[in-house]
Amino acid sequence: MGVVQFFDLDRVEVLRGPQGMLFGKNASAGLINIVTAKPKIGKTEFLAHATWGKTNSVTSGNEATLEMAGNVPVSSNSALRVSGFVTRQDGFAKNVYQSENLGLTEYGARAKYLVEGDVLQLYVAADIAHEEGPGGSVLIRRFAAPGGVIDTASRADGVIPSKDNGLVSGNARTTNSFDLGGIQATLGYDLGDGYSLSNITAYRSYKDSLQFDTDSTSLSLFDQNQGGRDYWQFSNELRLTSPGTGPFTFQAGLYYLYVNAREFLTWGGNLETLLPAPPTGMSNLGVVFDFRARSKSAAAFAEGQWAITDKVKLMAGGRFTHDELRFYSSRTNPNAFAPLADLGVDNVAVKNDDFSYRLGLQYEINNQTLAYATYSRGYKGPTFDLVAVTPLDEEIAKSYEIGIKSTLLDNRLRLNLALFRTDFSGYQAQVLAGSTLAYRTVNAGDLRTRGVELEFSALPIDGLTFNGGVTYNQAKYRNFGSVPCYPGQPTGTSGTNVCLPNGSTNVSGNQLVVAPKLTGTLAGRYEAAVSSDATIYVQADGYYRSAFRYTADLDPQMRIGGSVIVGASIGAKLFGDSVDASLFVRNLFDKRIPTWITADSVAGAYGDAAGGGDYWHQFGTTSFRTVGISLNYRM
């Protein structure tokens, strides 16, 4: 339910380390808080943003987006703000076997109403969104066992599996759609003397459906793959906030969340294609999954800041959480081929209590330099593994951070430095199950991540700005065993990163999934006024990411090498800031980096596992060079 259109925003907050104190039980390692713009009382405003781009994908597709927002006063103390968007993205893949639209279209709207009285404030917000089409979710063959079933069928269709491949040849349709929306109401009451009481009641829902051809060929191997999800949740938070000035400030509250979720999947294939003489009445190899879950979470929290002196501030807070989860799973198929014939029904319940907390100390060295140290205990609640239908323990994060935030050289340089370390116990990770097309959620034991982060923002001369940062992050599993072996993995009787006799491997000591050790960003922009109503600008940005893997093991097919992604734009602002027009390029050097790689877990049914297995990848908008134009208007 986190699909958000990045338009008409007030701010985006990047909060590192455990944030469960104020943001909930599952923010165990940080969060991105996206805050959309609130109505502005007494102001009429109109915003519009339009972009068009040409993507260097196999379809040479177009992308286009139109976003608009308006703010109007309703009365002297109230206002309405409405925004909407529509976006169209041509497909990143092309089906050479049949004609089908593999792109996506998404549209939505958001409405907000704010009324402010002398002591009462009412703020109501509602939003809806719909997406149609698979877009970046299309599974494309990246590698196939040479001479195997998938490799032979793909090449016969004109598809050559490779790291740059964008062609598929499925005989079953690929579809994907979702609908989401919600409404929330915030009632604020001014208690006087700077104290305030607020209550936020919210409801959100999400529903999607999908269908895809698992074998991605014109053969009828595993074509029966369709499913969907249906979620809704209700939450309520009551919060008391103290005045923002004075030696002691605080906020405290109560929180309740109820979630009702269902997922279903029909997965199967045709045994007559795979076996010369399938068992009588058992032509379908597969299973029907039906998962249902209900979750309740209640919490009480408080956090305060105490100014011990003018330069020293102490911070402390705690949150008590009570979780209740009930999970139901039904896996049936009357014509299933062994060993999937007896799957059964499971009904499991879990309860858990936890106390998380945060301690911190700030020291103002001078008016431009602040030093700090924090210790946090984060919490991610217990959950279930959908495949094995077993409960998983909670995840606990213990995080340490020390750092300095500074503004130097007459405010022309902002420099922040942080050292961090987080120890996770019961780390909740996903691994690809060896016998079904599904990911299992497991407790991966202990994980340690530690490193250093440097951020800067510089204004060397008027009109020229630089922003950037570097992060070194060593994140390693400390005792993670029982990961399914990958095809062709070296065997052994003991040790790490070898396939043990039970078909599993121990990945302790390996870097965390999708966690490069080194990342860096650098952006520069130069603006120059050419008249009283016109300013031209040029900007460029780069992002470096060292090598990383999409699985915890050392499967060579899952490794992505280090890369640099570069973008640039040139434009002009006219009539003050009323009009902003620019030409842009993203991924200038056309680095073909997938958004995901996954192994085909039924490669064994084809006999391809012995030849190295079969793999898919997925592409997104950042995977190709895109050249386009952008136009912004503000009134």
Side-chain angles (χ1 to χ4, degrees):
M1 290 188 282
V3 180
V4 175
Q5 190 68 19
F6 291 92
F7 177 65
D8 197 29
L9 301 183
D10 178 73
R11 65 188 184 277
V12 177
E13 302 172 349
V14 180
L15 307 176
R16 299 166 176 83
Q19 299 295 326
M21 197 63 51
L22 302 178
F23 290 97
K25 66 189 180 75
N26 286 342
S28 62
L31 61 84
I32 298 176
N33 187 32
I34 301 168
V35 183
T36 56
K38 295 179 68 172
K40 301 175 182 178
I41 294 176
K43 184 174 183 179
T44 300
E45 187 177 43
F46 175 76
L47 312 172
H49 171 68
T51 63
W52 172 87
K54 174 70 74 172
T55 300
N56 191 35
S57 65
V58 67
T59 63
S60 299
N62 299 310
E63 64 173 46
T65 299
L66 176 63
E67 302 164 317
M68 293 185 291
N71 190 97
V72 293
V74 177
S75 65
S76 60
N77 68 337
S78 66
L80 175 69
R81 193 174 188 92
V82 178
S83 62
F85 73 92
V86 58
T87 181
R88 168 64 193 172
Q89 176 70 64
D90 288 341
F92 305 118
K94 180 180 179 180
N95 193 332
V96 298
Y97 181 77
Q98 61 176 328
S99 177
E100 61 176 338
N101 185 355
L102 297 180
L104 67 84
T105 301
E106 184 182 343
Y107 54 85
R110 186 165 57 227
K112 298 186 172 186
Y113 178 68
L114 174 66
V115 55
E116 292 185 339
D118 293 336
V119 295
L120 280 176
Q121 180 188 86
L122 176 64
Y123 175 45
V124 180
D127 67 286
I128 58 172
H130 173 79
E131 183 178 283
E132 194 74 36
S137 65
V138 178
L139 295 170
I140 307 168
R141 286 293 175 186
R142 180 180 181 86
F143 178 85
V149 172
I150 295 300
D151 184 56
T152 301
S154 296
R155 292 176 183 271
D157 293 332
V159 176
I160 300 176
S162 71
K163 294 181 179 180
D164 294 330
N165 178 40
L167 302 178
V168 298
S169 57
N171 62 320
R173 289 283 179 178
T174 300
T175 63
N176 191 16
S177 67
F178 72 73
D179 290 278
L180 68 86
I183 184 169
Q184 72 175 49
T186 303
L187 184 63
Y189 182 69
D190 187 351
L191 298 173
D193 297 329
Y195 292 91
S196 62
L197 188 67
S198 62
N199 189 82
I200 305 173
T201 302
Y203 169 86
R204 290 198 68 79
S205 67
Y206 174 91
K207 187 174 184 178
D208 71 11
S209 63
L210 60 91
Q211 178 180 338
F212 60 96
D213 186 343
T214 305
D215 58 76
S216 305
T217 70
S218 59
L219 300 179
S220 296
L221 297 175
F222 285 88
D223 296 343
Q224 302 174 34
N225 297 281
Q226 53 190 339
R229 294 171 290 184
D230 191 353
Y231 301 163
W232 66 267
Q233 70 178 41
F234 168 83
S235 63
N236 192 84
E237 179 181 281
L238 179 66
R239 183 177 297 204
L240 174 66
T241 305
S242 73
T245 58
F248 180 69
T249 61
F250 72 89
Q251 48 187 321
L254 301 172
Y255 181 77
Y256 175 78
L257 172 68
Y258 178 84
V259 178
N260 188 302
R262 183 191 180 200
E263 297 190 19
F264 50 93
L265 173 67
T266 300
W267 173 85
N270 190 345
L271 276 180
E272 295 176 352
T273 306
L274 297 172
L275 301 177
T280 303
M282 293 186 180
S283 61
N284 185 35
L285 174 62
V287 63
V288 178
F289 295 91
D290 188 355
F291 311 109
R292 306 187 187 202
R294 291 182 176 87
S295 171
K296 299 178 183 178
S297 182
F301 61 89
E303 184 175 53
Q305 300 83 35
W306 178 33
I308 301 175
T309 69
D310 291 343
K311 293 183 176 294
V312 180
K313 179 181 290 186
L314 177 67
M315 300 168 291
R319 184 184 186 104
F320 176 80
T321 304
H322 173 74
D323 288 327
E324 295 183 13
L325 297 88
R326 180 169 292 277
F327 186 81
Y328 166 85
S329 174
S330 171
R331 295 155 294 163
T332 58
N333 192 334
N335 294 323
F337 180 63
L340 299 178
D342 185 16
L343 295 172
V345 176
D346 296 276
N347 197 336
V348 186
V350 173
K351 293 183 179 180
N352 191 66
D353 293 328
D354 182 81
F355 181 71
S356 53
Y357 54 90
R358 176 165 58 193
L359 300 171
L361 188 67
Q362 291 183 359
Y363 174 63
E364 186 178 321
I365 299 174
N366 53 49
N367 291 337
Q368 294 184 318
T369 307
L370 177 72
Y372 67 92
T374 61
Y375 171 75
S376 304
R377 182 189 184 277
Y379 167 67
K380 181 182 288 186
T383 185
F384 296 94
D385 171 42
L386 298 184
V387 178
V389 196
T390 55
L392 299 179
D393 294 334
E394 68 274 14
E395 173 184 298
I396 302 299
K398 297 179 179 179
S399 179
Y400 310 80
E401 182 177 341
I402 59 173
I404 292 179
K405 298 180 182 292
S406 62
T407 304
L408 308 171
L409 303 179
D410 295 327
N411 296 325
R412 287 186 174 269
L413 175 64
R414 178 178 59 84
L415 191 64
N416 299 332
L417 178 67
L419 302 175
F420 60 87
R421 170 180 149 179
T422 302
D423 292 327
F424 293 87
S425 59
Y427 184 75
Q428 295 173 4
Q430 288 189 321
V431 296
L432 187 63
S435 60
T436 60
L437 186 64
Y439 278 87
R440 291 194 57 193
T441 305
V442 299
N443 284 118
D446 297 335
L447 171 76
R448 172 171 291 174
T449 173
R450 56 185 177 181
V452 58
E453 186 167 54
L454 174 69
E455 296 177 309
F456 73 90
S457 178
L459 179 65
I461 61 175
D462 291 345
L464 178 63
T465 58
F466 290 101
N467 295 280
V470 177
T471 300
Y472 174 78
N473 180 25
Q474 185 187 72
K476 292 189 175 184
Y477 302 102
R478 304 186 71 187
N479 56 346
F480 189 10
S482 301
V483 175
C485 299
Y486 62 85
Q489 183 170 2
T491 60
T493 58
S494 64
T496 60
N497 295 308
V498 294
C499 188
L500 302 174
N502 64 0
S504 70
T505 183
N506 188 323
V507 299
S508 300
N510 291 358
Q511 184 79 358
L512 179 65
V513 169
V514 199
K517 285 187 177 181
L518 185 64
T519 58
T521 62
L522 178 63
R525 179 182 174 103
Y526 180 71
E527 292 188 4
V530 294
S531 72
S532 59
D533 284 332
T535 299
I536 59 172
Y537 62 85
V538 59
Q539 64 183 42
D541 58 83
Y543 171 60
Y544 169 75
R545 180 171 59 185
S546 63
F548 65 95
R549 297 178 184 274
Y550 281 112
T551 53
D553 54 41
L554 301 184
D555 187 343
Q557 299 297 339
M558 293 292 192
R559 183 181 184 273
I560 298 294
S563 62
V564 177
I565 304 297
V566 177
S569 66
I570 183 171
K573 295 188 292 184
L574 308 174
F575 312 110
D577 289 335
S578 296
V579 177
D580 186 335
S582 64
L583 301 174
F584 69 84
V585 58
R586 296 195 305 263
N587 195 350
L588 175 64
F589 300 109
D590 200 26
K591 297 291 186 179
R592 200 56 47 87
I593 298 178
T595 57
W596 187 248
I597 301 175
T598 185
D600 186 344
S601 58
V602 295
Y606 310 134
D608 287 0
D614 303 315
Y615 295 80
W616 293 291
H617 57 208
Q618 294 173 323
F619 288 137
T621 55
T622 60
S623 302
F624 309 93
R625 179 172 56 241
T626 301
V627 180
I629 58 175
S630 175
L631 180 65
N632 293 281
Y633 175 74
R634 178 186 295 270
M635 180 179 70

